[in-house]
Amino acid sequence: MKKLYVCTTADLPPGGARRLDTSPAIALFNHNGDYYALADLCTHGSASMSEGYIEDDCTVECPVHTAHFCLKTGKALTQPATVDLATFETLVEGDAIYVFVPTGDR
Ligand code: FES
């Protein structure tokens, strides 16, 4: 795993999302001051979850076919998605946001 600096907390306000050009691409969300990182590619199709809609119940809605995923667990909660999104650990140090991304190492 690699600790990747993303941005400052001021750069990602509540309700905001950002796509990280990692491999795989990661979507980072701010839900009421808590940061969640999920795989950016929807498990149902070729949609970028960072372009989805953050809901009050800590879910994100896919912008294409409106499947909902839990921001905390990545769980696919509604059809048409049936496969969960991968999740990635986040960390805030001071005002810096980091995501732990896979490196291929074990
Ligand atoms: S592409 Fe996301 S639900 Fe279909």
Side-chain angles (χ1 to χ4, degrees):
M1 288 286 178
K2 177 182 167 195
K3 181 180 171 185
L4 178 71
Y5 170 77
V6 179
C7 62
T8 67
T9 52
D11 290 333
L12 190 64
R18 176 176 290 226
R19 182 182 186 276
L20 311 186
D21 192 20
T22 49
S23 180
I26 293 173
L28 177 65
F29 300 94
N30 180 341
H31 178 261
N32 294 338
D34 293 320
Y35 299 92
Y36 301 101
L38 304 173
D40 185 56
L41 180 64
C42 180
T43 58
H44 178 252
S46 58
S48 172
M49 295 308 298
S50 64
E51 296 175 8
Y53 308 99
I54 300 174
E55 306 287 355
D56 290 342
D57 59 355
C58 204
T59 62
V60 58
E61 180 184 280
C62 176
V64 176
H65 301 123
T66 70
H68 283 74
F69 296 87
C70 176
L71 285 173
K72 294 179 180 175
T73 66
K75 186 169 181 53
L77 299 172
T78 62
Q79 297 282 339
T82 57
V83 176
D84 301 345
L85 290 168
T87 60
F88 304 90
E89 187 179 349
T90 64
L91 175 69
V92 178
E93 286 182 339
D95 67 348
I97 308 171
Y98 298 88
V99 174
F100 290 90
V101 299
T103 59
D105 303 343
R106 293 264 167 186

